[in-house]
Every structure is written in structure tokens, then in C-alpha cells.
Amino acid sequence: MQAPFTEEFVFRACMLPILLACLGYNKAIFICPLFFGVAHVHHVIERLRLNHESVLQVWIQTLFQFCYTTVFGAYSAFLFLQTGHLISPVICHSFCNFMGFPEFGQIPSYGKPKAVIISICYVVGLIAFLYLLVPMTSSNLYSNDIYVNMTS
């Protein structure tokens, strides 16, 4: 819980408003997550010290982590700007850290009927997420009048 709060405080509550003032909404929502992604590249040092993986494998995993933390950072920035509250990205970040990245490669190991059901659930979940993203984060639901003019 400490890391999600600290990271969201630094990147969303502190950095994002400064970038908004300097760059505007569209640029800030894409640049701030890049800093968030770069902040996670330090894991490469830990992996290289362990010597359990090849250098290429470590860098491929790090690049993958950079990509998904950057995408998550954009989502987190969106949540913060839409709701106007830091608690939204903190809870989302905590949940994502607890759950981890989905192991899509494990799906076939469950056998045909379960693998199909799991795959359908992933697709339905993704569609529901995309469909409900804007309505469930409407600034009106959260009494957000701080960033509402910037997001319209």
C-alpha cells in the first residue's frame, strides 16, 4: 500500500498538475505516464544482480514492464483528472499490484472447457471496462470541478 500511495502522490498529485499547467491536457496525459514507466526501469538492476536470466531476457522483460506501466500510468492519470481525487488511482494501483499481470499463457493449461470460459471472461471484462470507463469516471459523480474544464 505504501508504494502505490507514494507513486500516485508523486506522479499524479504533484507532477501531473505541473505538466497540465505547462503542456496542456493532451500532452500531460501522455508525458506523465512516460516518467512513471521510466521509474520502474530500475528493476533491471535487481534482475541482473540475481544472474538467473540472460541480459537480453532481462531487457525484454524490462521493456515489457515499461510499456504496461506507461499504459497504467495513463489510465491512472485519467482517473485522477476525471475524479479529482487521489484515492481513485491509489486504490486501482493497489489492486493491480495485488493481482499482478494476468498470466495469459496459463489459460490453455486449464483444458478446453475452462480455457474457453476464462477467455470469454477476459473478453467480456475488457469490453465492460471500455464501455463503462467514461460513464463511471464522470466528473459529476465525484463532484470534481478542479480538472473538469480541461477534460471536456
Side-chain angles (χ1 to χ4, degrees):
M1 185 71 182
Q2 185 178 357
F5 176 78
T6 304
E7 290 176 357
E8 295 305 323
F9 180 76
V10 168
F11 291 99
R12 256 47 83 192
C14 296
M15 185 182 290
L16 188 57
I18 293 169
L19 290 174
L20 278 170
C22 296
L23 304 174
Y25 181 81
N26 289 331
K27 287 182 183 175
I29 204 110
F30 289 107
I31 291 175
C32 189
L34 292 173
F35 287 109
F36 184 69
V38 168
H40 289 81
V41 173
H42 74 277
H43 293 292
V44 74
I45 297 167
E46 298 166 18
R47 290 187 182 129
L48 288 173
R49 282 188 185 159
L50 292 175
N51 262 348
H52 298 294
E53 304 163 290
S54 72
V55 174
L56 179 63
Q57 195 175 22
V58 168
W59 280 107
I60 289 171
Q61 288 175 349
T62 301
L63 179 62
F64 178 72
Q65 185 179 21
F66 169 78
C67 291
Y68 80 75
T69 53
T70 300
V71 169
F72 177 79
Y75 173 64
S76 206
F78 174 79
L79 278 178
F80 178 72
L81 293 176
Q82 285 293 103
T83 65
H85 299 281
L86 186 60
I87 193 68
S88 314
V90 169
I91 289 172
C92 185
H93 193 149
S94 298
F95 178 75
C96 288
N97 281 1
F98 177 75
M99 295 302 292
F101 197 82
E103 295 283 346
F104 295 113
Q106 296 290 325
I107 295 173
S109 69
Y110 288 104
K112 189 117 185 165
K114 282 186 180 179
V116 170
I117 291 170
I118 292 170
S119 298
I120 290 170
C121 287
Y122 273 125
V123 171
V124 169
L126 179 62
I127 291 169
F129 172 80
L130 294 173
Y131 180 73
L132 295 171
L133 178 62
V134 174
M136 294 303 290
T137 59
S138 171
S139 57
N140 295 335
L141 294 175
Y142 302 94
S143 300
N144 174 21
D145 57 357
I146 299 171
Y147 301 109
V148 72
N149 293 331
M150 293 181 174
T151 59
S152 299

